[in-house]
């Protein structure tokens, strides 16, 4: 097994052991909270460090839609269980960009 695979496998097993240990002590894991319908809230202090992966500009948190908004590109990154999904392919368009709008002709 290559060194990278061995390191990855060690990390996965370590996480599994930690989850089992939490359950043995009677504490709830994050997945248990999700199953019960509880969702974790987004920590707004992360906005200091997070930037749009496409434009490298700061993002705005929209509490109503629970998304991180890039006003310049008009895209919204979803926040799932308190964790921002910063994959551009998973973002949604929130409005047409000015470059793609056609001027109205009279």
């Amino acid at each position: 097994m290559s060194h990278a695979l061995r390191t990855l496998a060690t990390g996965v097993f370590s996480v599994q052991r930690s989850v089992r240990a939490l359950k043995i002590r009677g504490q709830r894991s994050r997945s248990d909270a999700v199953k019960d319908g509880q969702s974790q809230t987004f920590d707004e202090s992360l906005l200091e460090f997070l930037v749009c992966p496409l434009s490298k500009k700061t993002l705005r948190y929209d509490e109503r839609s629970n998304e991180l908004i890039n006003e310049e590109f008009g895209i919204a990154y979803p926040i799932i269980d308190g964790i921002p999904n910063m994959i551009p392919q998973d973002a949604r368009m929130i409005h047409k960009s000015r470059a793609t709008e056609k001027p109205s002709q009279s």
Side-chain angles (χ1 to χ4, degrees):
M1 189 182 310
S2 73
H3 176 70
L5 286 176
R6 198 172 315 122
T7 303
L8 178 62
T10 302
V12 169
F13 293 133
S14 174
V15 168
Q16 289 175 342
R17 280 192 302 264
S18 298
V19 169
R20 273 191 232 115
L22 285 174
K23 287 183 179 182
I24 290 170
R25 286 189 229 140
Q27 297 176 354
R28 298 172 55 141
S29 70
R30 187 181 74 77
S31 61
D32 290 338
V34 171
K35 289 175 191 172
D36 292 342
Q38 300 171 354
S39 63
Q40 295 183 350
T41 58
F42 175 68
D43 182 4
E44 292 188 48
S45 66
L46 292 174
L47 289 173
E48 182 180 342
F49 306 102
L50 293 175
V51 295
C52 175
L54 299 174
S55 69
K56 309 298 187 244
K57 303 268 173 123
T58 58
L59 298 164
R60 176 180 60 84
Y61 174 58
D62 184 7
E63 190 173 358
R64 195 182 80 234
S65 65
N66 199 34
E67 295 174 317
L68 296 178
I69 309 295
N70 177 328
E71 297 286 348
E72 180 182 355
F73 285 4
I75 55 178
Y77 296 98
I79 299 173
I80 303 163
D81 298 329
I83 302 169
N85 179 348
M86 304 297 289
I87 300 171
Q89 292 84 351
D90 292 343
R92 70 178 182 92
M93 298 297 293
I94 54 175
H95 57 75
K96 289 183 180 177
S97 67
R98 293 183 187 105
T100 60
E101 291 179 3
K102 295 181 181 178
S104 59
Q105 297 177 356
S106 351

